[in-house]
Amino acid sequence: MLRVCVCVSGGGTNLQAIIDAGKRGELGDTEIVRVISNNPGAFALERAKNAGIEGICVSPKEFENRADFHKALLSAINEAKPDLIVLAGFLVVIPEEVIRAYRNRIINIHPSLIPSFCGTGYYGLKVHEAALARGVKVSGATVHFVDEGTDTGPIILQKAVEVKEGDSPKVLQQRIMEEAEWQIMPKAIRLISEGKVKLGE
Ligand code: GAR
């Protein structure tokens, strides 16, 4: 069984998509064992609770410095004994100690077709604002492994989504979530659980 720990910061619609896919039996032999939020007010924690999944908050505000926060985050992850860490809208830069401890076992969803509109400063609505400002006609989402860079790890799945005339950042964000993110993240988890995607050892 693939033990999955999901890290979130906000609304948690990607977490919900993963939970729902699991209920439909679409994640293979997978269990979401813990949800970790850096934000105590994240609605994602409610979603975890409603699904009977343990949800905990590790907020940087509870710690004197970043190093202590990073330590606590790593402990919260370790306690869950995950085989895979899924970043589903987790807006914390992953500390190097977590990347080292879980190399090739962390995946992230990014709301654009990497390498466009990614890297430092590109998160949430900012990604869609930048895509619209550039006038692209197609955007989408990417699931990738996480390495030390920002959005630089190997790509697992991507899905393109049409940008329509008159789209606002919010409208485009919603279409990309519905047509791409909520589909490719569960699919990537299933592929990993089936051993069909794997990176080094
Ligand atoms: C999603 O669109 C996700 O792709 C994005 O944050 C949103 C979280 O929504 N992630 C990033 O921008 C990471 N760089 P959710 O909480 O409803 O899943």
Side-chain angles (χ1 to χ4, degrees), residues 6 8 10-24 27 32 35 43-53 88 181-182 185-186:
V6 184
V8 295
T13 64
N14 278 286
L15 169 66
Q16 192 66 55
I18 298 165
I19 291 170
D20 293 346
K23 284 191 188 143
R24 292 193 300 267
L27 293 184
I32 306 171
V35 170
F43 186 66
L45 286 173
E46 283 296 309
R47 296 180 189 273
K49 194 169 159 200
N50 292 340
I53 300 165
E181 296 185 41
W182 301 343
M185 184 49 111

Side-chain angles (χ1 to χ4, degrees), residues 14 46 50 60 77 94 98 120 148 153 181 184:
N14 278 286
E46 283 296 309
N50 292 340
I77 292 170
I94 300 300
V98 174
T120 306
E148 279 83 352
E181 296 185 41
I184 63 175

Side-chain angles (χ1 to χ4, degrees), residues 104-123:
N104 304 332
R105 291 189 288 152
I106 312 174
I107 62 174
N108 178 50
I109 180 99
H110 183 77
S112 74
L113 295 174
I114 289 175
S116 291
F117 313 115
C118 64
T120 306
Y122 287 99
Y123 58 88

